[in-house]
Amino acid sequence: MKYFILISTFFTFLSAAQAKFEVQTSTGYSSNTDGKSKNSFSDITNHFFIGASFDSKEKLVVGQNISIVSTQYKTATTDKLSTTELGPRLNYYINNERNYFVTLAWNPFAKGKRTVAGVAEDISGWSYLAALGAVLKMGNSFYLGASLNYHSLTITKSILGSTVTTVTDSYSSIMPMLNISFRFR
């Protein structure tokens, strides 16, 4: 409830300040299979962003990032990783038409579950995201495009039952993604 009130107050302030809003979603999927060993890998990642711009050229958009990552690696057993990550994000548009952008996000909150060799555990840590992309205007406030995204997750805590372990495990990926944006006042 505390976060809902904080977010509501933030967006009420932004509306009063005549901010220009942007909602963007980026989705990517990757998979491969080894025919000889029968190993397979899949990764589905979604990044959701809601932000606002205060400058007259609307080049810098600041807001909240939400990343949802699900990875699976199947060998003799199936290893899985699933996280939800939250943090601040910046979208910077390189040109005046706001077609080309650079994204930077830092997610100090990253929690989820991981299964390795049949053992399931809760995990937590942090992550960051960097992306370079382009969008085309498809309608009044609707944009469609693509981006190349680098995502890195660092796990700092593993919880198995009542045992808490400090770890330093990292996962990273580079993935092309489909971007859909809505820009409005």
Side-chain angles (χ1 to χ4, degrees), residues 37-108:
S37 66
K38 306 297 185 211
N39 295 342
S40 65
F41 172 82
S42 66
D43 182 2
I44 185 163
T45 302
N46 293 294
H47 303 296
F48 181 75
F49 170 69
I50 183 164
S53 177
F54 298 101
D55 65 330
S56 61
K57 293 184 181 181
E58 303 174 37
K59 285 188 148 191
L60 180 64
V61 184
V62 179
Q64 176 67 48
N65 183 68
I66 302 168
S67 295
I68 299 171
V69 178
S70 180
T71 304
Q72 180 172 299
Y73 184 68
K74 186 175 181 181
T75 56
T77 61
T78 300
D79 295 346
K80 297 179 184 178
L81 173 73
S82 179
T83 60
T84 300
E85 305 159 15
L86 305 169
R89 176 169 155 179
L90 303 172
N91 279 7
Y92 180 75
Y93 289 91
I94 299 166
N95 62 340
N96 289 335
E97 292 77 29
R98 296 179 60 206
N99 295 76
Y100 301 100
F101 64 92
V102 174
T103 295
L104 293 173
W106 174 60
N107 301 310

Side-chain angles (χ1 to χ4, degrees), residues 118-131:
V119 178
E121 58 191 351
D122 293 323
I123 54 172
S124 64
W126 60 276
S127 71
Y128 67 90
L129 167 69

Side-chain angles (χ1 to χ4, degrees), residues 8-184:
S8 296
T9 303
F10 177 70
F11 283 108
T12 301
F13 170 74
L14 292 178
S15 295
Q18 296 299 314
K20 292 148 188 105
F21 294 97
E22 179 172 346
V23 175
Q24 183 184 76
T25 182
S26 305
T27 301
Y29 176 75
S30 170
S31 71
N32 63 50
T33 302
D34 180 345
K36 181 171 173 53
S37 66
K38 306 297 185 211
N39 295 342
S40 65
F41 172 82
S42 66
D43 182 2
I44 185 163
T45 302
N46 293 294
H47 303 296
F48 181 75
F49 170 69
I50 183 164
S53 177
F54 298 101
D55 65 330
S56 61
K57 293 184 181 181
E58 303 174 37
K59 285 188 148 191
L60 180 64
V61 184
V62 179
Q64 176 67 48
N65 183 68
I66 302 168
S67 295
I68 299 171
V69 178
S70 180
T71 304
Q72 180 172 299
Y73 184 68
K74 186 175 181 181
T75 56
T77 61
T78 300
D79 295 346
K80 297 179 184 178
L81 173 73
S82 179
T83 60
T84 300
E85 305 159 15
L86 305 169
R89 176 169 155 179
L90 303 172
N91 279 7
Y92 180 75
Y93 289 91
I94 299 166
N95 62 340
N96 289 335
E97 292 77 29
R98 296 179 60 206
N99 295 76
Y100 301 100
F101 64 92
V102 174
T103 295
L104 293 173
W106 174 60
N107 301 310
F109 175 90
K111 290 193 182 269
K113 296 197 176 292
R114 173 173 68 174
T115 302
V116 178
V119 178
E121 58 191 351
D122 293 323
I123 54 172
S124 64
W126 60 276
S127 71
Y128 67 90
L129 167 69
L132 180 62
V135 293
L136 292 173
K137 188 171 186 176
M138 304 302 281
N140 244 359
S141 58
F142 177 70
Y143 294 79
L144 183 63
S147 60
L148 185 60
N149 297 258
Y150 176 77
H151 175 260
S152 179
L153 168 67
T154 299
I155 298 170
T156 56
K157 189 187 302 182
S158 167
I159 303 167
L160 181 59
S162 61
T163 305
V164 178
T165 307
T166 300
V167 296
T168 54
D169 300 331
S170 63
Y171 297 85
S172 61
S173 66
I174 296 176
M175 179 183 292
M177 294 187 150
L178 174 67
N179 289 58
I180 299 173
S181 301
F182 296 96
R183 300 176 188 165
F184 54 93

